[in-house]
Amino acid sequence: MMKQIIHHFNNSKNILLAAHVDPDGDSVGSLTALGLSLESLGKKITLYSESAIPAVYRFLPASDRIVRTINGLNGCDVAVILDCSNIDRVGKAASTIKQIPEIINIDHHTTNTNFGTIQLIDTWACATAEIVYRIIKNIGVRITKAIATSIYTGILTDTGSFRFSNTNESAFAICKEMVEYGVDPSYVAEHVYGPFSLGRLKLLNRALDSLEISATGKLSIMTLTRDVFEKTNTHPEDTDGFLNYARNIKDIKVAALIQHQLNGNRTEEPVSENCYHVSLRSDGTVDVAAIASAFGGGGHRNAAGFSTELTISEIKSKLLKLAETI
Ligand code: 5GP
Ligand code: MN
C-alpha cells in the first residue's frame, strides 16, 4: 500500500487533501504536514476543510491556506482523505471528491469503511499524523520545522498529551524526532492548551451543571444547547476536553456530551435546526465506537461520536437504556 501511494503521489500533478468536518488537531496537522510535503515535491496542492479551523490550530503553518469550498475538480488527479472513517466525514464536498480518479484513504479509526481506491489504515497508529509521518519518510521529503510542527501537534492532541491508551512508543519516538527538527513543545502547548476566553469557562460551568448520572452510576451525560453557546459567546470547538472531567468521575465507564450541532463558524446558519452531535468517551472497558456506530457514527474504542436528528430526550433514553448493559 505504501509503495502504491508513493507511486501515485510521484505520478500526480494536482492533489486535493481533505480533513473531516469539525477538524481536530490530528486532522489539521495531518492535512498541513502532508500538504506541505507534497508541495515540496513540486505538486499543486489544495487543502480542504468544510468547517472553519478552530482558533487553537490556526498557529499551524499553512492553516491559513485551507479552503472551505471547492468549485469542481479543478484538474485534481488524486484526493487524499485524512482521519475520516468514511468519505462523508469530509462534508458536503464528498460527492464532488468521489469523482476524483484516485482516492487515498489514510486513517486510524477502527470504524473505517475502507472507502477509496487505496487505503492506508492502521488502527494501531496513535494518530493519522503517525501514518502521514511514515509516508513522508518513505517518500524522502525533507522535514522542515513547519512539517514537524504539524506532525507533532497531530500526535500531541490525539494522544491527549500522551495520556490516552493510543499513546504508543512511536508517539514518543516521532515527537522526539520532530523536536530535533526544531519543534518547540512549549510554543505548541501554549497555542493548543493556552489562554482561553472567559466564555469558555462559563460554558464549562454550564456543561458541568447539566451533568446527569445514570441510575447504574456508570454513564454520565452533559447537554449543551444552542442558547448556551449564544449566551457565552462560544463555539462548538470550545467544548474540547470537557468530557475528560465527566469521564474521570469515579465508577463512570462512559461519558457523553450532547450538543446542538452548529457549524464551526458561528456566523453561519446551523447545519440543521434539530441536529445534535454526541461525543462519547470510555474509561477503556466499553467500546464506544460500537455504540456510536449503532447511531450511524464511528470513532475509536475509547473516543467516538455521532450526529443525529433524535431529540435530546430520545438520545438520553437510548443512552440510559444502553447504560443498563455496561
Ligand atoms: P468527537 O465526538 O469528540 O468529535 O470525536 C471523537 C472521535 O469520534 C473522533 O475520532 C472522531 O473522528 C469520531 N467521530 C465523531 N463524530 C463522528 C461521526 O459522526 N461519524 C464518525 N464516523 N466518526 C465520528
Ligand atoms: Mn485522529
Side-chain angles (χ1 to χ4, degrees):
M1 279 306 153
M2 181 64 84
K3 269 195 184 143
Q4 249 179 297
I5 289 176
I6 290 170
H7 171 83
H8 280 295
F9 283 153
N10 283 332
N11 288 297
S12 70
K13 288 197 175 74
N14 191 341
I15 304 170
L16 174 90
L17 299 100
H20 58 74
V21 291
D22 297 326
D24 54 13
D26 188 27
S27 208
V28 184
S30 296
L31 188 66
T32 53
L34 190 57
L36 290 172
S37 300
L38 293 170
E39 192 171 54
S40 77
L41 299 174
K43 312 296 170 187
K44 178 175 185 295
I45 57 151
T46 305
L47 304 177
Y48 174 76
S49 162
E50 176 178 302
S51 318
I53 301 303
V56 293
Y57 302 124
R58 286 190 206 142
F59 78 99
L60 281 173
S63 62
D64 56 339
R65 291 172 52 193
I66 300 173
V67 297
R68 298 184 59 193
T69 46
I70 41 172
N71 302 315
L73 299 181
N74 267 329
C76 282
D77 42 19
V78 172
V80 187
I81 314 295
L82 295 154
D83 205 38
C84 293
S85 54
N86 63 71
I87 193 161
D88 294 323
R89 290 276 291 153
V90 300
K92 292 188 235 37
S95 55
T96 307
I97 293 174
K98 280 176 194 167
Q99 296 164 34
I100 296 175
E102 217 58 68
I103 296 177
I104 304 179
N105 166 2
I106 300 173
D107 188 32
H108 68 135
H109 288 94
T110 50
T111 53
N112 193 287
T113 57
N114 278 310
F115 68 87
T117 50
I118 304 173
Q119 301 79 18
L120 192 57
I121 298 155
D122 179 359
T123 58
W124 294 103
C126 63
T128 296
E130 177 182 340
I131 310 173
V132 166
Y133 162 84
R134 287 186 220 144
I135 296 172
I136 292 172
K137 284 297 240 194
N138 271 282
I139 210 165
V141 161
R142 192 180 71 84
I143 300 182
T144 59
K145 183 175 171 181
I147 294 171
T149 302
S150 297
I151 291 174
Y152 180 94
T153 303
I155 294 178
L156 179 77
T157 54
D158 243 31
T159 58
S161 304
F162 311 105
R163 285 173 297 174
F164 299 157
S165 57
N166 56 333
T167 308
N168 55 14
E169 209 180 310
S170 353
F172 292 103
I174 298 169
C175 286
K176 172 187 180 285
E177 191 181 337
M178 296 306 110
V179 173
E180 286 164 3
Y181 285 121
V183 172
D184 177 350
S186 73
Y187 169 82
V188 175
E190 258 168 48
H191 284 86
V192 174
Y193 306 114
F196 49 75
S197 66
L198 177 62
R200 182 170 182 239
L201 205 64
K202 295 199 165 169
L203 186 71
L204 173 62
N205 190 23
R206 295 291 295 262
L208 296 176
D209 233 9
S210 74
L211 195 113
E212 295 167 69
I213 310 275
S214 67
T216 60
K218 293 176 183 167
L219 169 75
S220 70
I221 305 178
M222 298 192 290
T223 313
L224 287 172
T225 47
R226 183 178 303 125
D227 56 304
V228 180
F229 287 101
E230 273 158 17
K231 271 191 203 116
T232 54
N233 193 24
T234 49
H235 309 252
E237 69 200 50
D238 289 313
T239 62
D240 227 32
F242 285 9
L243 271 171
N244 292 333
Y245 294 101
R247 191 197 38 195
N248 282 340
I249 300 169
K250 197 170 169 297
D251 297 328
I252 290 292
K253 290 183 177 297
V254 175
L257 169 65
I258 305 171
Q259 62 186 97
H260 244 133
Q261 180 127 29
L262 308 165
N263 265 333
N265 186 335
R266 295 268 286 118
T267 58
E268 287 172 29
E269 284 303 301
V271 181
S272 140
E273 199 51 33
N274 288 312
C275 193
Y276 294 95
H277 182 77
V278 181
S279 299
L280 299 169
R281 298 291 182 273
S282 147
D283 70 340
T285 60
V286 178
D287 181 1
V288 288
I291 299 177
S293 297
F295 286 91
H300 306 285
R301 197 184 146 81
N302 295 336
F306 63 91
S307 292
T308 177
E309 292 197 355
L310 295 172
T311 64
I312 292 182
S313 62
E314 285 168 340
I315 300 168
K316 280 187 184 170
S317 67
K318 285 199 171 199
L319 290 175
L320 288 168
K321 204 167 249 158
L322 258 163
E324 290 164 13
T325 64
I326 58 176

